[in-house]
Every structure is written in C-alpha cells, then in structure tokens.
Amino acid sequence: MTRLPLALLLGVALTIAACAGAAETIPPDVDLAVTMKDYKVELSVETVKAGSLKIGVRNAGGMEHSFELIKTDLPFDKLPVDSGAAKAKEDGLIKQVKTLGVGKVSVVIADLAAGNYVIICNVAGHYQLGMRAALTVR
C-alpha cells in the first residue's frame, strides 16, 4: 500500500518540476523580438519602419530584468547614468516593462516616429554591464 502513494507523489513532483522550468515564448506575430539575457540585449532586427510596432520581450536570463524603450540621439552606450541609483536616465522614455521575471514574456505596442532609439534593462547596474541595444526607426 505504500507504493501507490510514493508513485503518486513522484509523479506529482515530476509534473511540478516540468511546469516550473517551462519558459514562455515570444508570439510569432510581433514586429520586433527582444531577448533580455544576463548583461546582453538581443534584437531580432535593428531597423524597423515607423508606425505602430508590436514588440515581444522575453527574459532569457537567470535574474529579473526590465525593458525600457528610449528615443534619443545619443549613442546607445552613452546614456547619462545616475550614479546614486546606478541606473541610466530615462529621458525620452516611450515604453517600459518595470519587471520581467525569469522566463517571462511581455508584449507592448508602441507608435514610433522615425529616429534613433535605445532598448535597455534599467535594473541597477545592468545598463552599465551591457544590457543595451540600438534600434533605428525609418
């Protein structure tokens, strides 16, 4: 009689472990896929057309990240940084996802004019460690 509960318990534990490890995926209908890794931001394309843009953001890293889309004429790696907060200043902020858990996906829609943009993670210190990418809108 002790074998059945043990087998059942093992099956439940395996099911929970499999579900917990499943990461979300970016929907296929987005115009821009952004993958946030620990200290790197990867874009599916670096140039997009002006207008309404559907952006899928996935945290493929091992810690919580954020997503900020900023319109700026500064180079993507030269945003001013608030040294006290260890965060980049967000002048020109267009869209934001303040917290994106490990393996999570968020979809945002932004109406973008032609120009230069930067996509960053602005968790303290992450921008300075390389979590940034340039996006051109034409």
Side-chain angles (χ1 to χ4, degrees), residues 34 36 40-41 43 57 65-70 72 75-77 79-80 87-91 93 95-97 117-123 126-128 130-134:
V34 178
M36 309 295 263
K40 186 174 185 179
V41 175
L43 307 181
V57 184
H65 290 297
S66 69
F67 165 85
E68 284 79 16
L69 173 64
I70 299 170
T72 182
F76 77 105
D77 60 347
L79 295 181
K87 293 183 176 188
K89 294 189 179 178
E90 296 177 353
D91 299 336
L93 181 68
K95 285 289 177 177
Q96 179 178 51
V97 178
Y117 294 79
V118 178
I119 294 173
I120 68 171
C121 170
N122 214 13
V123 169
H126 289 200
Y127 171 77
Q128 299 91 312
M131 291 200 70
R132 56 195 180 230

Side-chain angles (χ1 to χ4, degrees), residues 2-26:
T2 57
R3 287 186 188 186
L4 181 59
L6 182 59
L8 182 61
L9 181 60
L10 181 58
V12 169
L14 288 173
T15 301
I16 291 170
C19 291
E24 296 178 17
T25 58
I26 294 175

Side-chain angles (χ1 to χ4, degrees), residues 8-61:
L8 182 61
L9 181 60
L10 181 58
V12 169
L14 288 173
T15 301
I16 291 170
C19 291
E24 296 178 17
T25 58
I26 294 175
D29 65 338
V30 299
D31 302 303
L32 173 64
V34 178
T35 303
M36 309 295 263
K37 295 184 176 179
D38 295 340
Y39 313 122
K40 186 174 185 179
V41 175
E42 295 176 349
L43 307 181
S44 59
V45 294
E46 295 175 358
T47 303
V48 295
K49 292 182 181 179
S52 183
L53 189 72
K54 186 174 183 180
I55 305 167
V57 184
R58 178 173 178 263
N59 181 353

